[in-house]
Amino acid sequence: MQTKNKLELLLVDDDEVLLMILHRMFLKADPSLDIKRFESGDRALQYLSENPNGDNRFMLVDINLKDMTGWDFLSVIEETNDPSKIILITSSVDSTNHGLASRHPNVIHFFEKSITFSIIKEILETIEEKIEKE
Amino acid sequence: MRKDSKTYNFLIIEDNLGDYVLIEEYLSEYILDPHTTHVVTFDKAKENLKDNGEFDLIFLDLSLPDHSGEDLIKDVISLSKGIPVIALTGFSDLEFSIRSLSLGISDYLLKDELTPPFLYKSVIYAIERNRYIEDLQDSEKRYSELFHLNPSPMWVYDENSLAFLDVNEAAINKYGYSEKEFKKMTVEDILAKGQLQKLEEINNGENKKKVVYSNLFRHLTKSEKILDVEIESAPILFNDRKAKMVVANDITDKIRHIQTIEQQNNTFKEIAWIQSHVVRAPLARMMGLINLLESMDVDLSGENKQILEYIQKSAEELDVIIRDISKKSENIVYADEK
């Protein structure tokens, strides 16, 4: 890792089990990650408004949250010019999601769960690439 | 002078031989080859008309030895089956001859005033007019049948009073009113609530310029059953009244079918959504858990390791199936939305 600051990773998913899986896999792949778990979009947005300085912040956001869709979540982020980089995750296999995801500048990655350890590594690599570019 | 070379068959019912000869002579002056059949009694005439219907014209003396007067005319007219009949009379019968025209006689000729051109003119006139009337009756019958025997309910209504002027069999069967009842009713009586306004809008509004309009209406039958009908209407003159002729197609069943299909389609969309979003969520969770277990380098003995592999394989198979179903339903749902 070439980053000086610790990477902050927010996991936003209403599925408790998936949160647990993601958390454990990310920690295994990179024990230095600062991981925070949110079971609703509202709580995640609240955290973001209370902690606006998130240059090294990345988020995994589920498209189908109970209180809002991932797209709603994205438009709030875009309105507030939050620089957070977002990775969308979904358990659905609806192909229209891919097209929608590419229209949002904050979205750097999109994947369908199931989560494998290799996908976790792929995500971390994407994040590192982003950081090197900036 | 050039003579008329068409073939004419005349039946001459005349008991006076002299008069018959005179008529035949006069006919020959203008007609190249007149075929005449001469009979002197009504009985003989009857035989001829029954055996041979191919006469172009009948000459009828109004006083025969076995029959005369108004009854003679009526009997000959009924036997003639549309062949024109010209009455031959003397002066004494003049008034009666004039009256005979109303019984269906084409013309009457006063024997004493007869001349060849006058006779020829009368013959041609009677034959041609008869043909024209027959054509007219034929076409009237055809059009009347087109209306009355049409399988779609049809009617004619007065544009101003909306009163029914004529209805066909199909309308009587569909709406349950008799023809008599229909003719005491107006279109308003078969319109369901709120439909009169629509009809007035169409009749008075922007559609007025369009000669023919088509529209959907809700009608009521006599037993208050609601019908969804597609109306096509066109202006006509009916006995000199401004009227509209209407064809009403019952599409109640068609609409019900479409509604059923739409409902099924909505249910199908829901199922497609469930497939793609809901069913896969627990599977994704399960697969994640298996992957997590693997990545944790848990030391599994041979058999347990195989069990985990089998679970994983089953989950992957289920994943393939769900993706397949989802893809197929997506195609249908999006095709429908287009």
Side-chain angles (χ1 to χ4, degrees), chain A residues 54-84:
Chain A
D55 290 339
N56 271 348
R57 186 178 289 151
F58 289 81
M59 282 186 264
L60 256 74
V61 181
D62 185 17
I63 289 180
N64 298 298
L65 294 166
K66 278 204 184 71
D67 57 343
M68 63 179 74
T69 70
W71 312 115
D72 296 335
F73 188 86
L74 273 176
S75 44
V76 177
I77 300 264
E78 274 161 25
E79 272 167 32
T80 56
N81 290 321
D82 192 292
S84 305

Side-chain angles (χ1 to χ4, degrees), chain A residues 15 28 92 95 112-113 115, chain B residues 276 280 285 291 295 323:
Chain A
D15 189 325
K28 189 176 161 64
S92 84
S95 65
E112 282 170 11
K113 25 190 172 177
I115 306 127
Chain B
S276 147
R280 200 169 176 277
R285 203 185 292 145
N291 293 334
S295 69
R323 281 170 189 274

Side-chain angles (χ1 to χ4, degrees), chain B residues 158-172:
Chain B
D158 187 295
E159 212 183 85
N160 296 316
S161 69
L162 302 183
F164 284 104
L165 302 175
D166 202 359
V167 287
N168 74 352
E169 272 303 307
I172 290 165

